[in-house]
Amino acid sequence: MKTLSSLSVDPAFALAFRTLQPPPQKPASLLVLLHGVGGNESNLAALGADAGSDTLVVLPRGPIALGPQAFGWFRVAFTGQGPQIVASEADASRRALIDFIGQLQQAHGIDAAHTVVAGFSQGGILSASVALTAPERVAGFAVLAGRILPELEPQLADTPRLATLRGYVAHGTYDDKLPVSWAQRAGDWLARLGVAHETKLYPTGHELGAAMRTDFLAWLARGDQRWNRPGAGR
C-alpha cells in the first residue's frame, strides 16, 4: 500500500511537495499531479497510487494559501461572465511548475519523454499551461474537469514544438463549476494547434469520478508505449 511522504520544503525545488511512498528504486517515468483550488497535495494521492509501479508520483502544493490546508495555483472568482482569474498568479505558478518539473527530472534522471503532468480542475488548467508553453518539458498532459486558459494564447509554443505533445481532456457533462463547453473549447483549440489528444465526457458533475479515473489511468499506461520521443533529452 502506498502512502504519502512528509511535506518536502527544499530550496532546491521551486515548490513544496510530497511523493508517494515507497518510490520505485529506478523510476522509469514521472507523473506530476496537481490539485484543484482550495485543495492540497494529498487530494490526488489515491489516483497516483494506481499509476505504474515504475512511475515516480510527485504531488506539489499550490503556492497560494487560501485557508487551513487549502491552497491554490491562482485566485479565481466565478461570475456570471465566467471565471475571472488573477492572471499574474496563474503565470507565476506556470513558471514555477516548469522549473519544478525540470528540477525533478534532473534529480531523478527522468527525461521529458517519460514525464506527464496532470491535474484536477485548476490543477488541470496548470497542466495544460505548462505543456502548451513548455512542450519540451513533458510528453503529455491531462486536464481533468479543467479548462485551457484563454489568457495563455500569447505564450503558446509554436506548432512544430507542440508536435510531440499528447493531451487528454476529461469532463463531466453536468459540471456546474466549469461547464462542459470548456472541454469542447479545449478540444477545438488543441486540434487547431495540432496537438494529438483525446476528449472524454461523463454524465457527472465537477468531480473526479471512477470512470474518469479509470480512463485516465488507461491513457497514462498507453503512453508507456508511445511517448518515447526521438531527440528528447534529459
Side-chain angles (χ1 to χ4, degrees):
M1 180 178 178
K2 293 185 177 180
T3 60
L4 273 175
S5 70
S6 59
L7 185 68
S8 177
V9 183
D10 184 335
F13 294 91
L15 294 165
F17 66 99
R18 300 179 193 265
T19 57
L20 282 186
Q21 302 289 311
Q25 288 190 339
K26 292 184 178 180
S29 59
L30 170 64
L31 174 61
V32 180
L33 291 175
L34 310 180
H35 63 80
V37 65
N40 62 55
E41 69 283 356
S42 68
N43 293 160
L44 298 183
L47 179 65
D50 288 331
S53 59
D54 60 353
T55 299
L56 176 66
V57 179
V58 178
L59 303 112
R61 171 179 288 184
I64 299 173
L66 301 172
Q69 292 302 308
F71 301 89
W73 303 96
F74 56 86
R75 275 177 273 262
V76 58
F78 293 94
T79 72
Q81 289 72 46
Q84 304 296 314
I85 73 167
V86 180
S88 59
E89 293 178 348
D91 191 58
S93 288
R94 178 187 66 85
R95 288 184 280 107
L97 278 163
I98 292 170
D99 290 344
F100 178 68
I101 291 171
Q103 291 156 354
L104 290 171
Q105 290 168 336
Q106 184 171 21
H108 297 281
I110 302 172
D111 63 19
H114 298 89
T115 299
V116 171
V117 60
F120 172 71
S121 192
Q122 196 176 93
I125 291 173
L126 263 297
S127 298
S129 295
V130 167
L132 295 174
T133 62
E136 298 84 3
R137 191 70 84 199
V138 298
F141 67 99
V143 182
L144 309 176
R147 64 189 181 113
I148 299 176
L149 293 178
E151 293 85 350
L152 198 65
E153 184 150 17
Q155 298 165 310
L156 292 174
D158 58 28
T159 299
R161 291 174 58 201
L162 294 169
T164 59
L165 201 58
R166 301 290 183 269
Y168 188 81
V169 177
H171 213 98
T173 55
Y174 300 113
D175 192 325
D176 59 356
K177 183 68 72 176
L178 294 174
V180 68
S181 58
W182 283 109
Q184 295 159 344
R185 292 172 64 177
D188 291 345
W189 200 357
L190 293 175
R192 289 199 302 274
L193 292 171
V195 176
H197 66 282
E198 298 176 31
T199 300
K200 293 213 170 192
L201 303 179
Y202 304 85
T204 61
H206 190 69
E207 62 188 58
L208 182 53
M212 190 184 291
R213 286 170 46 97
T214 298
D215 289 346
F216 164 69
L217 290 166
W219 171 81
L220 186 67
R222 292 200 304 274
D224 291 344
Q225 304 300 320
R226 70 178 186 232
W227 287 341
N228 296 312
R229 305 179 303 175
R234 290 180 183 275

